[in-house]
Amino acid sequence: MTALPTEKIDAVVVGSGAAGSHFAARLAQAGKRVAILEAGPAWENKDLVSSMLWARRLKGAVAPVLETGKDTVGYGFNSGRGVGGSSMHHYGVWPRLHANDFRVKTLYGRSRDWPIGYADLQPYYDRVQEECGIAGDQRMESSQPPGAPYPMLPVPVSAQGRIVGYGFEALGMKVSPLPLAVTTRAFRGRPPCIWDGWCDAGCPIGALANAQTVHLPQARVAGATLHPETEVVRILTDKSGKRATGVEAITKDGQRVKVMADVVVLAAFTLQNPRLLLASATPQHPDGLGNSSGMLGRFITTHGAAPIFGLHEKDTTPGFGALGGQLLNQEHYDDKNAHAEQGAFGSYQWMIAHAIKPNGLLGIAPSRPDLRGKALSDFMQRATRHIITMTGVVEDEALAENRVTLSTRKDALGVPLATVAHTSSKESVALWDTAVAEGLKVFKAAGASESWHTNRAPMHIMGGTVMGKSPADSVTNSYGQAHDLPNLFIGGAGLFPTSGGVNPTFTLHALAARSAEYLVKNWNLAVG
């Protein structure tokens, strides 16, 4: 393991996931001396095992999170543990946010606006997709925002995808290839995917775009150092409280160390970022760093997953493909009031035809928890060859009361645990109900002999360190630069003022690319 730097460096990056690795690569390539501190263990793609038991090892960060509220956010499922963070078990579904996602308050009088628009992020979406690789067909996406064509051909469509796609078309709705950050051909040294459906357990061959296949290698080649099992417990500031000076961390052997740097990039998991900022309170920042607005920890959102299942007389070969799916539908996405008559608000999309295994958290058996004994056995005999699946990604309205606070309980290192309270608005719940009803109609139109849905489940976590135009109502500016400490930058989905109805990882990368570019160009102003 590389020794931690003992002298002051240019930048310390907290977290080695999607955002942290992206920042580290860009800063190191600009000639900055960078250290990446990762709380979890070290592993590489070659260590990954295609097993649902292994998949559990990739989830749940070192410090647990206490969840309250009617609609919990699913920290254990969504978070990541170890080098690469949650990018190691994400499914590579990379659609873009739409123009209306950035102006929800202006257009609809609800939720919040972003301090930037789609046009500000478009060139970074284009840059990231060329670097990381996305398979798809932009021309077929009826509601695709403007942007460059995808660099790879679409993922293959199996019998399952064709069957469900027919159901949409029978109801007058369009489907298109699902944009996936998975290789359909050899791409930048990565081999093509073998479509064995084990994305949830990581990708040992490197076909999936994640921190281990893209930005961590770039960062290392450029000279950045990676330090696993080094948990940051506090962000340090100078006596004036106007500058971050580095971080305090605990190593694997229990040693308490300080890593001093001109710039601190906080890119831990979404809920851990506000926890660290709150736990780093000082006399100058009694309510936590970056919290002069009182917005730190607020506006936590999570997509409500709407899983739809069915059985079909045809053999659907459901065990193969990509776990993220094969096809996409974004009907009515650009009108968040499209389902106002049902009391619903927001956008949603369908990810169609997932690869699905017999067991595991997202497997066939858990889709029917009501079955036991012979009934379950008979169901499994049919479903392993005839099940069809899709999942709705349903927008969650941003509410200030959904927030992260510090618990009175502490972890083994003495840091207060994060408590996250989350209850969705009735309009968001109604949108989920609307999506489920539509999904069941699609499966009936597809010829399913029976169809069902599971309970509303949390998928993705955003907010808590939201960006904005004013220091009075946000934690950072549009570049993730903390209003209160100009040399503290935040990366990740915690910056999202609203959730939209698409998976967040592509947007997270685009924001990191934009922020890192700004930081390099304005280094002296940030450092002071």
Side-chain angles (χ1 to χ4, degrees):
M1 183 183 297
T2 305
L4 285 162
T6 55
E7 71 279 4
K8 188 178 184 181
I9 58 175
D10 294 313
V12 58
V13 178
V14 181
S16 64
S21 64
H22 200 136
F23 264 98
R26 296 291 90 88
L27 296 182
Q29 289 168 344
K32 306 302 180 183
R33 187 178 178 196
V34 179
I36 310 165
L37 308 189
E38 167 58 51
W43 42 53
E44 300 179 8
N45 283 340
K46 63 181 178 62
D47 300 317
L48 304 176
V49 179
S50 295
S51 155
M52 286 300 177
L53 291 176
W54 167 266
R56 298 178 186 180
R57 298 183 64 184
L58 296 177
K59 297 182 174 70
V62 175
V65 168
L66 309 176
E67 299 193 39
T68 66
K70 186 177 179 181
D71 306 296
T72 54
V73 297
Y75 174 75
F77 170 73
N78 287 291
S79 60
R81 179 176 179 270
V83 171
S86 56
S87 78
M88 299 304 291
H89 64 77
H90 91 301
Y91 304 159
V93 181
W94 282 27
R96 304 181 183 211
L97 286 173
H98 291 215
N100 64 336
D101 288 321
F102 295 87
R103 303 178 62 228
V104 181
K105 184 71 171 179
T106 296
L107 294 175
Y108 306 101
R110 305 180 69 97
S111 199
R112 292 174 64 89
D113 281 345
W114 291 52
I116 55 176
Y118 177 79
D120 297 300
L121 216 51
Q122 179 186 332
Y124 300 97
Y125 276 128
D126 290 347
R127 184 186 305 176
V128 168
Q129 76 177 27
E130 185 59 38
E131 179 182 30
C132 298
I134 297 181
D137 189 339
Q138 182 195 37
R139 297 167 301 176
M140 291 185 66
E141 293 180 34
S142 58
S143 59
Q144 160 78 318
Y150 299 124
M152 291 185 289
L153 292 175
V155 303
V157 179
S158 70
Q160 182 190 177
R162 291 190 293 271
I163 288 167
V164 181
Y166 173 80
F168 277 96
E169 292 164 359
L171 296 177
M173 296 187 282
K174 295 181 179 180
V175 295
S176 59
L178 185 69
L180 283 180
V182 175
T183 53
T184 54
R185 61 173 174 83
F187 185 85
R188 295 182 178 264
R190 290 156 49 204
C193 180
I194 60 174
W195 311 114
D196 63 350
W198 284 110
C199 310
D200 194 45
C203 182
I205 69 171
L208 175 66
N210 57 37
Q212 294 273 24
T213 57
V214 183
H215 290 114
L216 283 178
Q218 293 179 10
R220 285 166 162 163
V221 167
T225 58
L226 175 62
H227 307 274
E229 296 181 296
T230 305
E231 185 171 356
V232 172
V233 296
R234 189 175 185 85
I235 300 163
L236 305 173
T237 58
D238 63 13
K239 291 182 179 179
S240 71
K242 295 180 179 179
R243 298 277 168 178
T245 57
V247 299
E248 184 176 347
I250 309 295
T251 62
K252 180 182 180 180
D253 59 6
Q255 183 181 4
R256 189 175 291 267
V257 298
K258 292 181 179 179
V259 179
M260 311 306 287
D262 288 327
V263 169
V264 174
V265 177
L266 185 56
F269 187 71
T270 305
L271 301 179
Q272 296 295 342
N273 282 344
R275 174 195 181 221
L276 281 172
L277 291 168
L278 289 166
S280 299
T282 67
Q284 293 82 14
H285 301 276
D287 299 319
L289 300 185
N291 198 23
S292 62
S293 63
M295 293 295 108
L296 179 60
R298 294 187 181 274
F299 298 104
I300 293 292
T301 55
T302 180
H303 291 131
I308 309 295
F309 302 89
L311 291 176
H312 201 276
E313 64 178 8
K314 294 183 178 179
D315 192 329
T316 61
T317 60
F320 300 99
L323 192 54
Q326 302 169 11
L327 297 171
L328 172 73
N329 172 270
Q330 292 185 341
E331 209 77 19
H332 310 303
Y333 189 100
D334 291 329
D335 180 7
K336 294 185 186 295
N337 281 323
H339 304 288
E341 290 184 1
Q342 289 77 41
F345 175 80
S347 302
Y348 63 88
Q349 68 173 15
W350 290 109
M351 304 180 297
I352 301 162
H354 310 288
I356 185 169
K357 302 300 182 183
N359 54 19
L361 181 62
L362 302 177
I364 297 172
S367 78
R368 289 298 304 271
D370 56 315
L371 299 180
R372 296 289 187 276
K374 186 177 185 302
L376 177 60
S377 178
D378 291 345
F379 165 72
M380 293 296 291
Q381 289 290 332
R382 289 182 295 153
T384 50
R385 295 189 61 179
H386 297 281
I387 199 168
I388 55 177
T389 67
M390 69 180 184
T391 301
V393 181
V394 181
E395 183 168 358
D396 185 33
E397 189 173 358
L399 304 173
E401 57 267 31
N402 289 333
R403 63 185 299 199
V404 173
T405 56
L406 293 182
S407 170
T408 56
R409 291 176 55 186
K410 296 182 178 181
D411 67 9
L413 303 179
V415 181
L417 296 175
T419 295
V420 57
H422 180 267
T423 298
S424 293
S425 71
K426 65 179 186 301
E427 290 82 4
S428 295
V429 174
L431 184 64
W432 186 88
D433 291 337
T434 300
V436 166
E438 180 179 85
L440 295 174
K441 289 179 182 177
V442 168
F443 274 31
K444 182 177 181 180
S449 58
E450 59 182 282
S451 56
W452 67 96
H453 67 88
T454 53
N455 292 334
R456 186 169 180 260
M459 176 173 53
H460 315 129
I461 305 174
M462 297 143 285
T465 51
V466 296
M467 58 167 62
K469 291 182 178 180
S470 169
D473 65 0
S474 57
V475 178
T476 81
N477 64 16
S478 70
Y479 297 101
Q481 182 179 30
H483 292 303
D484 300 345
L485 299 101
N487 66 333
L488 172 63
F489 282 72
I490 299 174
L495 297 172
F496 290 20
T498 59
S499 73
V502 301
N503 310 57
T505 306
F506 192 11
T507 301
L508 177 161
H509 271 288
L511 288 173
R514 183 174 181 269
S515 296
E517 179 184 79
Y518 171 85
L519 175 55
V520 169
K521 289 181 178 179
N522 297 275
W523 186 268
N524 291 336
L525 288 175
V527 172

